[in-house]
Amino acid sequence: MDVHLFVYDLSQGLARQMSASLLGFQLDAVYHTSIKLQGREYVYDGNIVAIQPGTSHLGRPMQEIYLGRTERAQVPMDVIEEYMDSLREIYTVEAYDLWRHNCNNFSNDLSTFLLGKGIPGHITNMPQAVLDSPFGQMLLPMLNQQISAKKRAGGILGIQDQTPGSSVKPQSQLHRHEGKVHNVSSAAGLDALLGKFQRTCAVVFFTSATCAPCKAVYPLYDELAAEIGDKGALIKVDISKAFDVGSRYSVSSTPTFITFLKGQEENRWVGADPSKLRGNVQLLVQMAWPRHPHQSLRLPTLANPGAKPVIFEKAPPLAKLLAKMGPAAAEHPAVQGVKHFVEARARDGPAEATLPDMAGFTKFIREAVGTSSSNSLPTDVLFTAVDLLRCGLVDARFSGYLAEDDADHATVLAVLSRVNGLPDGGGCPYALRLVTLQMACNLFSSPLYPDQILGHDGLRAAATQLVSTSFLDDGHSSVRVAAASLLFNMALANSRQRRDGGPGNVLPESDQVELAASALEAVAQESASAEALEGTLLALGLLAYRLPLDGELAALLRTMDAQDVVLAKKKDFPDMALVAEIGSELFGKGLARSG
């Protein structure tokens, strides 16, 4: 998809006329920018706002720059929107700074995600050039006072208040797919949607342009879509345009509704009866998502909807880390860029940290972990490059960039494969294994990455192998803790997908079985580290929570006497409440219910 940059001049021409005499150099504009994408204009004005292009009170942009066509054309807009949701935690009203954290920084971050490159440098460098001038220093206190007053009013440029059709998401809606009605115009499009929701349910609303009763229930249909969210698909088909779809399903009148449950037609009816529509849709969702027996158990830790992935945020002294990397690698421009990014983020906060050269750094990492590249690092110092990657991945923008591109999947996969490929029995240095586990955990700082870990065969297999082998490290409890943390992050994503449904990825049951077996063995062997045991138990519990009671995972847990294995830990860890919650409640009562 094409990406355009809208460029405005906040000075309305005064900068071009007066900058040379006041600043000592020529300034063509006081730049304000936004990104145009798929018929919407995205702008940071205290919050991230989506508007109709060119409809803000700023008028038409003075320039529209074609930035390029994203190679991520396969990425749907809801994924891009979800990436912008992660930016909303950084681009807030409180964080807005006219000089260091403004609309141009947002445009630069979004452009980097979409294209792998930022916006033109003369725009991003403009604020610093003004601040470095004597006149800019004179104006700084007055301008900052004005911006502070506008922050308190809730908008910086007034776009939210003055622009028809603008949208700002409240905090409660961040990182959630909003339910919507899918409009389909062909049999192929319908097949694709039904296939996407074949594990859950779908409703197909057959309508036509001249059907007045159909239009009367459109608002209710939209409302129902919002209510069920990702638990099912509400689809609308205009048979006056999609003749092939109407013919396939023998639809002769509108409105006609057909429901699908687990990929099979479940019900159909004709007529615009609102109560019947609501009742049938609610019943369909209940059949697709029956209440699991585990939901009636006392499992406060596992049922906690606010659980967050484990992120390893602490950064080492980067100068020392790079010194161990060696001068050639340490002086690489992309490495220096990430170093400055991590330091600025730690010192001044995310709002002050501008994304580095992501394409250059991911290329550096691939070469560093490769075995055939002239730029590859020796195994004993490879941890330095992986640890620098881990530090960058703390930021959701950084990890979000890596989430949706095959080349960037290859970067992470190269690291995991290099570590997994080292021989057992001490072949993988302790520091390298530890930071690789922590790096993999930090991928989950972006809401985009869990689905990739669960759904990408190579990444999932490599992460599973890394967890399983790391549990065997008897000599380092920190490695076992990090392995439990990575398993927890994977299990948490898997558990949420079970709970929320929708088209997202769930771990294949064979992978769940492998991970659960490794975790249960690790629980049985753990006698030294309470932190490692607690993390492993929590991850194991999440893998089992709301599992299919007649599936392979449940059978494995019964066969391996999971209840007895967990409850045996009371001897070494008598004060750990999670032992009783997982052992007695989940494995005792939860597995027995299907026996």
Side-chain angles (χ1 to χ4, degrees), residues 309-310 440-441 444 450 453-454 459-465 467 483-497 505-507 511 515 539 542-543:
V310 177
C441 286
F444 290 80
I453 289 285
L454 301 189
L459 287 174
R460 186 182 65 250
T464 299
Q465 182 182 349
V467 168
S485 299
L486 178 54
L487 177 56
F488 170 80
N489 288 356
M490 296 171 68
L492 179 62
N494 188 65
S495 179
R496 284 178 173 168
Q497 192 55 46
N505 293 308
V506 174
L507 278 170
D511 290 79
L515 288 168
L542 281 172
L543 274 177

PDB file of all heavy atoms in Angstrom, residues 309-310 440-441 444 450 453-454 459-465 467 483-497 505-507 511 515 539 542-543:
ATOM      1  N   PRO A 309       2.752  -9.957  30.008  1.00  0.00           N
ATOM      2  CA  PRO A 309       3.938 -10.769  29.720  1.00  0.00           C
ATOM      3  C   PRO A 309       5.142 -10.282  30.513  1.00  0.00           C
ATOM      4  O   PRO A 309       5.217  -9.121  30.922  1.00  0.00           O
ATOM      5  CB  PRO A 309       4.143 -10.576  28.208  1.00  0.00           C
ATOM      6  CG  PRO A 309       3.442  -9.300  27.884  1.00  0.00           C
ATOM      7  CD  PRO A 309       2.282  -9.220  28.825  1.00  0.00           C
ATOM      8  N   VAL A 310       6.090 -11.173  30.712  1.00  0.00           N
ATOM      9  CA  VAL A 310       7.329 -10.843  31.417  1.00  0.00           C
ATOM     10  C   VAL A 310       8.279 -10.171  30.434  1.00  0.00           C
ATOM     11  O   VAL A 310       8.578 -10.713  29.365  1.00  0.00           O
ATOM     12  CB  VAL A 310       7.979 -12.104  31.997  1.00  0.00           C
ATOM     13  CG1 VAL A 310       9.314 -11.754  32.659  1.00  0.00           C
ATOM     14  CG2 VAL A 310       7.045 -12.774  32.997  1.00  0.00           C
ATOM     15  N   ALA A 440      13.910 -13.249  23.675  1.00  0.00           N
ATOM     16  CA  ALA A 440      12.662 -13.823  23.162  1.00  0.00           C
ATOM     17  C   ALA A 440      11.466 -13.362  23.996  1.00  0.00           C
ATOM     18  O   ALA A 440      10.378 -13.128  23.461  1.00  0.00           O
ATOM     19  CB  ALA A 440      12.748 -15.347  23.149  1.00  0.00           C
ATOM     20  N   CYS A 441      11.654 -13.211  25.306  1.00  0.00           N
ATOM     21  CA  CYS A 441      10.573 -12.685  26.157  1.00  0.00           C
ATOM     22  C   CYS A 441      10.200 -11.265  25.736  1.00  0.00           C
ATOM     23  O   CYS A 441       9.019 -10.907  25.694  1.00  0.00           O
ATOM     24  CB  CYS A 441      11.001 -12.683  27.620  1.00  0.00           C
ATOM     25  SG  CYS A 441      11.029 -14.306  28.401  1.00  0.00           S
ATOM     26  N   PHE A 444       7.512  -9.934  23.221  1.00  0.00           N
ATOM     27  CA  PHE A 444       6.113  -9.796  23.626  1.00  0.00           C
ATOM     28  C   PHE A 444       5.786  -8.394  24.123  1.00  0.00           C
ATOM     29  O   PHE A 444       4.667  -8.143  24.557  1.00  0.00           O
ATOM     30  CB  PHE A 444       5.773 -10.831  24.690  1.00  0.00           C
ATOM     31  CG  PHE A 444       5.728 -12.240  24.182  1.00  0.00           C
ATOM     32  CD1 PHE A 444       6.896 -12.964  24.004  1.00  0.00           C
ATOM     33  CD2 PHE A 444       4.533 -12.844  23.850  1.00  0.00           C
ATOM     34  CE1 PHE A 444       6.876 -14.264  23.525  1.00  0.00           C
ATOM     35  CE2 PHE A 444       4.487 -14.139  23.363  1.00  0.00           C
ATOM     36  CZ  PHE A 444       5.666 -14.856  23.191  1.00  0.00           C
ATOM     37  N   PRO A 450       2.850 -11.772  19.839  1.00  0.00           N
ATOM     38  CA  PRO A 450       2.340 -13.072  20.296  1.00  0.00           C
ATOM     39  C   PRO A 450       1.748 -13.921  19.183  1.00  0.00           C
ATOM     40  O   PRO A 450       1.995 -15.134  19.117  1.00  0.00           O
ATOM     41  CB  PRO A 450       1.276 -12.671  21.330  1.00  0.00           C
ATOM     42  CG  PRO A 450       1.772 -11.380  21.881  1.00  0.00           C
ATOM     43  CD  PRO A 450       2.397 -10.674  20.713  1.00  0.00           C
ATOM     44  N   ILE A 453       4.565 -15.558  17.195  1.00  0.00           N
ATOM     45  CA  ILE A 453       5.217 -16.672  17.884  1.00  0.00           C
ATOM     46  C   ILE A 453       4.349 -17.923  17.837  1.00  0.00           C
ATOM     47  O   ILE A 453       4.826 -19.036  17.623  1.00  0.00           O
ATOM     48  CB  ILE A 453       5.514 -16.296  19.353  1.00  0.00           C
ATOM     49  CG1 ILE A 453       6.648 -15.265  19.418  1.00  0.00           C
ATOM     50  CG2 ILE A 453       5.871 -17.525  20.168  1.00  0.00           C
ATOM     51  CD1 ILE A 453       8.024 -15.822  19.174  1.00  0.00           C
ATOM     52  N   LEU A 454       3.048 -17.738  18.026  1.00  0.00           N
ATOM     53  CA  LEU A 454       2.147 -18.891  18.028  1.00  0.00           C
ATOM     54  C   LEU A 454       1.895 -19.434  16.631  1.00  0.00           C
ATOM     55  O   LEU A 454       1.677 -20.633  16.463  1.00  0.00           O
ATOM     56  CB  LEU A 454       0.802 -18.517  18.671  1.00  0.00           C
ATOM     57  CG  LEU A 454       0.815 -18.020  20.119  1.00  0.00           C
ATOM     58  CD1 LEU A 454      -0.608 -17.906  20.645  1.00  0.00           C
ATOM     59  CD2 LEU A 454       1.637 -18.911  21.017  1.00  0.00           C
ATOM     60  N   LEU A 459       9.434 -19.888  14.037  1.00  0.00           N
ATOM     61  CA  LEU A 459       9.617 -19.201  15.312  1.00  0.00           C
ATOM     62  C   LEU A 459       9.088 -20.032  16.474  1.00  0.00           C
ATOM     63  O   LEU A 459       9.730 -20.130  17.531  1.00  0.00           O
ATOM     64  CB  LEU A 459       8.901 -17.849  15.278  1.00  0.00           C
ATOM     65  CG  LEU A 459       9.521 -16.740  14.435  1.00  0.00           C
ATOM     66  CD1 LEU A 459       8.608 -15.524  14.406  1.00  0.00           C
ATOM     67  CD2 LEU A 459      10.894 -16.350  14.973  1.00  0.00           C
ATOM     68  N   ARG A 460       7.918 -20.613  16.283  1.00  0.00           N
ATOM     69  CA  ARG A 460       7.314 -21.401  17.357  1.00  0.00           C
ATOM     70  C   ARG A 460       8.177 -22.611  17.691  1.00  0.00           C
ATOM     71  O   ARG A 460       8.427 -22.917  18.873  1.00  0.00           O
ATOM     72  CB  ARG A 460       5.913 -21.850  16.949  1.00  0.00           C
ATOM     73  CG  ARG A 460       5.149 -22.551  18.066  1.00  0.00           C
ATOM     74  CD  ARG A 460       3.783 -23.008  17.598  1.00  0.00           C
ATOM     75  NE  ARG A 460       3.870 -24.026  16.562  1.00  0.00           N
ATOM     76  CZ  ARG A 460       3.537 -23.826  15.286  1.00  0.00           C
ATOM     77  NH1 ARG A 460       3.084 -22.652  14.888  1.00  0.00           N
ATOM     78  NH2 ARG A 460       3.646 -24.801  14.397  1.00  0.00           N
ATOM     79  N   ALA A 461       8.649 -23.311  16.670  1.00  0.00           N
ATOM     80  CA  ALA A 461       9.474 -24.500  16.902  1.00  0.00           C
ATOM     81  C   ALA A 461      10.785 -24.127  17.593  1.00  0.00           C
ATOM     82  O   ALA A 461      11.241 -24.824  18.509  1.00  0.00           O
ATOM     83  CB  ALA A 461       9.750 -25.209  15.574  1.00  0.00           C
ATOM     84  N   ALA A 462      11.391 -23.022  17.154  1.00  0.00           N
ATOM     85  CA  ALA A 462      12.660 -22.607  17.748  1.00  0.00           C
ATOM     86  C   ALA A 462      12.476 -22.171  19.197  1.00  0.00           C
ATOM     87  O   ALA A 462      13.305 -22.495  20.064  1.00  0.00           O
ATOM     88  CB  ALA A 462      13.268 -21.472  16.927  1.00  0.00           C
ATOM     89  N   ALA A 463      11.390 -21.444  19.480  1.00  0.00           N
ATOM     90  CA  ALA A 463      11.126 -21.014  20.854  1.00  0.00           C
ATOM     91  C   ALA A 463      10.821 -22.212  21.746  1.00  0.00           C
ATOM     92  O   ALA A 463      11.272 -22.273  22.903  1.00  0.00           O
ATOM     93  CB  ALA A 463       9.971 -20.018  20.875  1.00  0.00           C
ATOM     94  N   THR A 464      10.060 -23.164  21.232  1.00  0.00           N
ATOM     95  CA  THR A 464       9.740 -24.371  21.996  1.00  0.00           C
ATOM     96  C   THR A 464      10.996 -25.156  22.340  1.00  0.00           C
ATOM     97  O   THR A 464      11.185 -25.609  23.475  1.00  0.00           O
ATOM     98  CB  THR A 464       8.765 -25.254  21.191  1.00  0.00           C
ATOM     99  OG1 THR A 464       7.559 -24.533  20.954  1.00  0.00           O
ATOM    100  CG2 THR A 464       8.439 -26.533  21.946  1.00  0.00           C
ATOM    101  N   GLN A 465      11.893 -25.312  21.366  1.00  0.00           N
ATOM    102  CA  GLN A 465      13.145 -26.029  21.612  1.00  0.00           C
ATOM    103  C   GLN A 465      14.003 -25.307  22.637  1.00  0.00           C
ATOM    104  O   GLN A 465      14.598 -25.926  23.531  1.00  0.00           O
ATOM    105  CB  GLN A 465      13.927 -26.192  20.303  1.00  0.00           C
ATOM    106  CG  GLN A 465      15.228 -26.972  20.474  1.00  0.00           C
ATOM    107  CD  GLN A 465      16.015 -27.095  19.176  1.00  0.00           C
ATOM    108  OE1 GLN A 465      15.501 -26.772  18.092  1.00  0.00           O
ATOM    109  NE2 GLN A 465      17.239 -27.554  19.269  1.00  0.00           N
ATOM    110  N   VAL A 467      13.029 -23.321  25.076  1.00  0.00           N
ATOM    111  CA  VAL A 467      12.449 -23.495  26.413  1.00  0.00           C
ATOM    112  C   VAL A 467      12.764 -24.886  26.959  1.00  0.00           C
ATOM    113  O   VAL A 467      13.227 -25.045  28.101  1.00  0.00           O
ATOM    114  CB  VAL A 467      10.927 -23.267  26.371  1.00  0.00           C
ATOM    115  CG1 VAL A 467      10.277 -23.725  27.673  1.00  0.00           C
ATOM    116  CG2 VAL A 467      10.613 -21.805  26.132  1.00  0.00           C
ATOM    117  N   ALA A 483      13.626 -19.303  31.171  1.00  0.00           N
ATOM    118  CA  ALA A 483      12.879 -20.276  30.362  1.00  0.00           C
ATOM    119  C   ALA A 483      11.420 -20.313  30.794  1.00  0.00           C
ATOM    120  O   ALA A 483      10.507 -20.369  29.954  1.00  0.00           O
ATOM    121  CB  ALA A 483      13.506 -21.663  30.491  1.00  0.00           C
ATOM    122  N   ALA A 484      11.190 -20.279  32.103  1.00  0.00           N
ATOM    123  CA  ALA A 484       9.814 -20.252  32.609  1.00  0.00           C
ATOM    124  C   ALA A 484       9.100 -18.975  32.173  1.00  0.00           C
ATOM    125  O   ALA A 484       7.899 -18.992  31.867  1.00  0.00           O
ATOM    126  CB  ALA A 484       9.816 -20.361  34.137  1.00  0.00           C
ATOM    127  N   SER A 485       9.839 -17.867  32.109  1.00  0.00           N
ATOM    128  CA  SER A 485       9.246 -16.594  31.684  1.00  0.00           C
ATOM    129  C   SER A 485       8.830 -16.640  30.222  1.00  0.00           C
ATOM    130  O   SER A 485       7.758 -16.145  29.857  1.00  0.00           O
ATOM    131  CB  SER A 485      10.252 -15.450  31.914  1.00  0.00           C
ATOM    132  OG  SER A 485      10.586 -15.327  33.275  1.00  0.00           O
ATOM    133  N   LEU A 486       9.685 -17.225  29.370  1.00  0.00           N
ATOM    134  CA  LEU A 486       9.324 -17.335  27.957  1.00  0.00           C
ATOM    135  C   LEU A 486       8.128 -18.261  27.779  1.00  0.00           C
ATOM    136  O   LEU A 486       7.200 -17.964  27.011  1.00  0.00           O
ATOM    137  CB  LEU A 486      10.521 -17.835  27.142  1.00  0.00           C
ATOM    138  CG  LEU A 486      10.279 -18.048  25.644  1.00  0.00           C
ATOM    139  CD1 LEU A 486       9.724 -16.790  24.986  1.00  0.00           C
ATOM    140  CD2 LEU A 486      11.561 -18.502  24.948  1.00  0.00           C
ATOM    141  N   LEU A 487       8.129 -19.381  28.490  1.00  0.00           N
ATOM    142  CA  LEU A 487       6.978 -20.282  28.413  1.00  0.00           C
ATOM    143  C   LEU A 487       5.719 -19.578  28.918  1.00  0.00           C
ATOM    144  O   LEU A 487       4.630 -19.739  28.347  1.00  0.00           O
ATOM    145  CB  LEU A 487       7.243 -21.550  29.230  1.00  0.00           C
ATOM    146  CG  LEU A 487       6.083 -22.553  29.303  1.00  0.00           C
ATOM    147  CD1 LEU A 487       5.634 -22.982  27.914  1.00  0.00           C
ATOM    148  CD2 LEU A 487       6.478 -23.768  30.138  1.00  0.00           C
ATOM    149  N   PHE A 488       5.857 -18.795  29.987  1.00  0.00           N
ATOM    150  CA  PHE A 488       4.711 -18.046  30.505  1.00  0.00           C
ATOM    151  C   PHE A 488       4.157 -17.109  29.436  1.00  0.00           C
ATOM    152  O   PHE A 488       2.936 -17.027  29.235  1.00  0.00           O
ATOM    153  CB  PHE A 488       5.120 -17.250  31.743  1.00  0.00           C
ATOM    154  CG  PHE A 488       4.068 -16.259  32.198  1.00  0.00           C
ATOM    155  CD1 PHE A 488       2.983 -16.674  32.946  1.00  0.00           C
ATOM    156  CD2 PHE A 488       4.157 -14.918  31.845  1.00  0.00           C
ATOM    157  CE1 PHE A 488       2.004 -15.767  33.357  1.00  0.00           C
ATOM    158  CE2 PHE A 488       3.188 -14.002  32.245  1.00  0.00           C
ATOM    159  CZ  PHE A 488       2.111 -14.433  33.006  1.00  0.00           C
ATOM    160  N   ASN A 489       5.021 -16.375  28.755  1.00  0.00           N
ATOM    161  CA  ASN A 489       4.558 -15.445  27.725  1.00  0.00           C
ATOM    162  C   ASN A 489       3.820 -16.172  26.604  1.00  0.00           C
ATOM    163  O   ASN A 489       2.789 -15.700  26.115  1.00  0.00           O
ATOM    164  CB  ASN A 489       5.734 -14.661  27.151  1.00  0.00           C
ATOM    165  CG  ASN A 489       6.276 -13.621  28.118  1.00  0.00           C
ATOM    166  OD1 ASN A 489       5.736 -13.430  29.204  1.00  0.00           O
ATOM    167  ND2 ASN A 489       7.343 -12.948  27.743  1.00  0.00           N
ATOM    168  N   MET A 490       4.352 -17.305  26.192  1.00  0.00           N
ATOM    169  CA  MET A 490       3.688 -18.089  25.149  1.00  0.00           C
ATOM    170  C   MET A 490       2.359 -18.641  25.647  1.00  0.00           C
ATOM    171  O   MET A 490       1.347 -18.602  24.944  1.00  0.00           O
ATOM    172  CB  MET A 490       4.608 -19.225  24.689  1.00  0.00           C
ATOM    173  CG  MET A 490       5.905 -18.759  24.032  1.00  0.00           C
ATOM    174  SD  MET A 490       7.089 -20.117  23.735  1.00  0.00           S
ATOM    175  CE  MET A 490       6.219 -21.045  22.460  1.00  0.00           C
ATOM    176  N   ALA A 491       2.359 -19.152  26.886  1.00  0.00           N
ATOM    177  CA  ALA A 491       1.130 -19.722  27.443  1.00  0.00           C
ATOM    178  C   ALA A 491       0.079 -18.650  27.681  1.00  0.00           C
ATOM    179  O   ALA A 491      -1.121 -18.898  27.510  1.00  0.00           O
ATOM    180  CB  ALA A 491       1.450 -20.457  28.747  1.00  0.00           C
ATOM    181  N   LEU A 492       0.518 -17.457  28.086  1.00  0.00           N
ATOM    182  CA  LEU A 492      -0.420 -16.360  28.309  1.00  0.00           C
ATOM    183  C   LEU A 492      -1.108 -15.973  26.999  1.00  0.00           C
ATOM    184  O   LEU A 492      -2.329 -15.773  26.955  1.00  0.00           O
ATOM    185  CB  LEU A 492       0.308 -15.161  28.893  1.00  0.00           C
ATOM    186  CG  LEU A 492      -0.539 -13.903  29.162  1.00  0.00           C
ATOM    187  CD1 LEU A 492      -1.627 -14.193  30.184  1.00  0.00           C
ATOM    188  CD2 LEU A 492       0.341 -12.749  29.629  1.00  0.00           C
ATOM    189  N   ALA A 493      -0.329 -15.853  25.921  1.00  0.00           N
ATOM    190  CA  ALA A 493      -0.912 -15.529  24.613  1.00  0.00           C
ATOM    191  C   ALA A 493      -1.874 -16.626  24.168  1.00  0.00           C
ATOM    192  O   ALA A 493      -2.957 -16.351  23.633  1.00  0.00           O
ATOM    193  CB  ALA A 493       0.201 -15.338  23.576  1.00  0.00           C
ATOM    194  N   ASN A 494      -1.491 -17.865  24.399  1.00  0.00           N
ATOM    195  CA  ASN A 494      -2.335 -18.993  24.029  1.00  0.00           C
ATOM    196  C   ASN A 494      -3.630 -19.000  24.847  1.00  0.00           C
ATOM    197  O   ASN A 494      -4.725 -19.224  24.310  1.00  0.00           O
ATOM    198  CB  ASN A 494      -1.562 -20.291  24.254  1.00  0.00           C
ATOM    199  CG  ASN A 494      -2.277 -21.512  23.721  1.00  0.00           C
ATOM    200  OD1 ASN A 494      -2.473 -21.652  22.525  1.00  0.00           O
ATOM    201  ND2 ASN A 494      -2.664 -22.402  24.611  1.00  0.00           N
ATOM    202  N   SER A 495      -3.508 -18.714  26.142  1.00  0.00           N
ATOM    203  CA  SER A 495      -4.680 -18.703  27.017  1.00  0.00           C
ATOM    204  C   SER A 495      -5.641 -17.589  26.627  1.00  0.00           C
ATOM    205  O   SER A 495      -6.872 -17.782  26.631  1.00  0.00           O
ATOM    206  CB  SER A 495      -4.229 -18.527  28.468  1.00  0.00           C
ATOM    207  OG  SER A 495      -5.323 -18.498  29.352  1.00  0.00           O
ATOM    208  N   ARG A 496      -5.121 -16.429  26.288  1.00  0.00           N
ATOM    209  CA  ARG A 496      -5.980 -15.318  25.878  1.00  0.00           C
ATOM    210  C   ARG A 496      -6.705 -15.641  24.582  1.00  0.00           C
ATOM    211  O   ARG A 496      -7.866 -15.260  24.393  1.00  0.00           O
ATOM    212  CB  ARG A 496      -5.141 -14.054  25.725  1.00  0.00           C
ATOM    213  CG  ARG A 496      -4.763 -13.434  27.059  1.00  0.00           C
ATOM    214  CD  ARG A 496      -3.894 -12.212  26.891  1.00  0.00           C
ATOM    215  NE  ARG A 496      -3.679 -11.557  28.175  1.00  0.00           N
ATOM    216  CZ  ARG A 496      -2.788 -10.600  28.392  1.00  0.00           C
ATOM    217  NH1 ARG A 496      -2.005 -10.196  27.396  1.00  0.00           N
ATOM    218  NH2 ARG A 496      -2.663 -10.053  29.578  1.00  0.00           N
ATOM    219  N   GLN A 497      -6.031 -16.345  23.680  1.00  0.00           N
ATOM    220  CA  GLN A 497      -6.688 -16.692  22.432  1.00  0.00           C
ATOM    221  C   GLN A 497      -7.796 -17.709  22.666  1.00  0.00           C
ATOM    222  O   GLN A 497      -8.851 -17.657  22.039  1.00  0.00           O
ATOM    223  CB  GLN A 497      -5.657 -17.223  21.432  1.00  0.00           C
ATOM    224  CG  GLN A 497      -6.170 -17.352  20.014  1.00  0.00           C
ATOM    225  CD  GLN A 497      -6.732 -16.043  19.500  1.00  0.00           C
ATOM    226  OE1 GLN A 497      -6.124 -14.992  19.669  1.00  0.00           O
ATOM    227  NE2 GLN A 497      -7.883 -16.093  18.874  1.00  0.00           N
ATOM    228  N   ASN A 505      -3.994 -16.938  16.308  1.00  0.00           N
ATOM    229  CA  ASN A 505      -3.371 -18.251  16.367  1.00  0.00           C
ATOM    230  C   ASN A 505      -3.397 -18.829  17.778  1.00  0.00           C
ATOM    231  O   ASN A 505      -3.264 -18.122  18.767  1.00  0.00           O
ATOM    232  CB  ASN A 505      -1.920 -18.160  15.885  1.00  0.00           C
ATOM    233  CG  ASN A 505      -1.838 -17.828  14.410  1.00  0.00           C
ATOM    234  OD1 ASN A 505      -2.458 -18.482  13.593  1.00  0.00           O
ATOM    235  ND2 ASN A 505      -1.090 -16.796  14.066  1.00  0.00           N
ATOM    236  N   VAL A 506      -3.561 -20.144  17.841  1.00  0.00           N
ATOM    237  CA  VAL A 506      -3.440 -20.904  19.071  1.00  0.00           C
ATOM    238  C   VAL A 506      -2.307 -21.895  18.863  1.00  0.00           C
ATOM    239  O   VAL A 506      -2.098 -22.395  17.750  1.00  0.00           O
ATOM    240  CB  VAL A 506      -4.751 -21.651  19.402  1.00  0.00           C
ATOM    241  CG1 VAL A 506      -4.580 -22.552  20.613  1.00  0.00           C
ATOM    242  CG2 VAL A 506      -5.878 -20.665  19.637  1.00  0.00           C
ATOM    243  N   LEU A 507      -1.545 -22.190  19.911  1.00  0.00           N
ATOM    244  CA  LEU A 507      -0.480 -23.176  19.791  1.00  0.00           C
ATOM    245  C   LEU A 507      -1.054 -24.519  19.342  1.00  0.00           C
ATOM    246  O   LEU A 507      -2.047 -24.997  19.914  1.00  0.00           O
ATOM    247  CB  LEU A 507       0.211 -23.366  21.139  1.00  0.00           C
ATOM    248  CG  LEU A 507       1.282 -22.358  21.540  1.00  0.00           C
ATOM    249  CD1 LEU A 507       1.663 -22.564  23.005  1.00  0.00           C
ATOM    250  CD2 LEU A 507       2.504 -22.474  20.657  1.00  0.00           C
ATOM    251  N   ASP A 511       2.518 -28.939  20.123  1.00  0.00           N
ATOM    252  CA  ASP A 511       3.462 -28.047  20.792  1.00  0.00           C
ATOM    253  C   ASP A 511       3.086 -27.854  22.254  1.00  0.00           C
ATOM    254  O   ASP A 511       3.957 -27.796  23.136  1.00  0.00           O
ATOM    255  CB  ASP A 511       3.503 -26.694  20.090  1.00  0.00           C
ATOM    256  CG  ASP A 511       4.162 -26.765  18.723  1.00  0.00           C
ATOM    257  OD1 ASP A 511       3.481 -27.198  17.769  1.00  0.00           O
ATOM    258  OD2 ASP A 511       5.346 -26.391  18.617  1.00  0.00           O
ATOM    259  N   LEU A 515       5.590 -28.702  25.345  1.00  0.00           N
ATOM    260  CA  LEU A 515       5.926 -27.698  26.349  1.00  0.00           C
ATOM    261  C   LEU A 515       5.455 -28.109  27.743  1.00  0.00           C
ATOM    262  O   LEU A 515       6.172 -27.924  28.735  1.00  0.00           O
ATOM    263  CB  LEU A 515       5.306 -26.355  25.963  1.00  0.00           C
ATOM    264  CG  LEU A 515       5.968 -25.640  24.776  1.00  0.00           C
ATOM    265  CD1 LEU A 515       5.104 -24.489  24.309  1.00  0.00           C
ATOM    266  CD2 LEU A 515       7.365 -25.147  25.156  1.00  0.00           C
ATOM    267  N   ALA A 539       3.297 -20.908  34.241  1.00  0.00           N
ATOM    268  CA  ALA A 539       3.247 -21.173  32.796  1.00  0.00           C
ATOM    269  C   ALA A 539       2.511 -22.477  32.507  1.00  0.00           C
ATOM    270  O   ALA A 539       1.677 -22.557  31.594  1.00  0.00           O
ATOM    271  CB  ALA A 539       4.667 -21.226  32.234  1.00  0.00           C
ATOM    272  N   LEU A 542      -1.221 -21.983  32.962  1.00  0.00           N
ATOM    273  CA  LEU A 542      -1.848 -21.270  31.854  1.00  0.00           C
ATOM    274  C   LEU A 542      -2.010 -22.163  30.628  1.00  0.00           C
ATOM    275  O   LEU A 542      -2.981 -22.035  29.878  1.00  0.00           O
ATOM    276  CB  LEU A 542      -1.030 -20.030  31.495  1.00  0.00           C
ATOM    277  CG  LEU A 542      -1.216 -18.816  32.407  1.00  0.00           C
ATOM    278  CD1 LEU A 542      -0.219 -17.728  32.062  1.00  0.00           C
ATOM    279  CD2 LEU A 542      -2.632 -18.265  32.305  1.00  0.00           C
ATOM    280  N   LEU A 543      -1.045 -23.056  30.399  1.00  0.00           N
ATOM    281  CA  LEU A 543      -1.189 -24.005  29.288  1.00  0.00           C
ATOM    282  C   LEU A 543      -2.415 -24.899  29.495  1.00  0.00           C
ATOM    283  O   LEU A 543      -3.100 -25.262  28.533  1.00  0.00           O
ATOM    284  CB  LEU A 543       0.057 -24.879  29.171  1.00  0.00           C
ATOM    285  CG  LEU A 543       1.230 -24.355  28.348  1.00  0.00           C
ATOM    286  CD1 LEU A 543       2.397 -25.333  28.411  1.00  0.00           C
ATOM    287  CD2 LEU A 543       0.831 -24.110  26.894  1.00  0.00           C
TER     288      LEU A 543
END
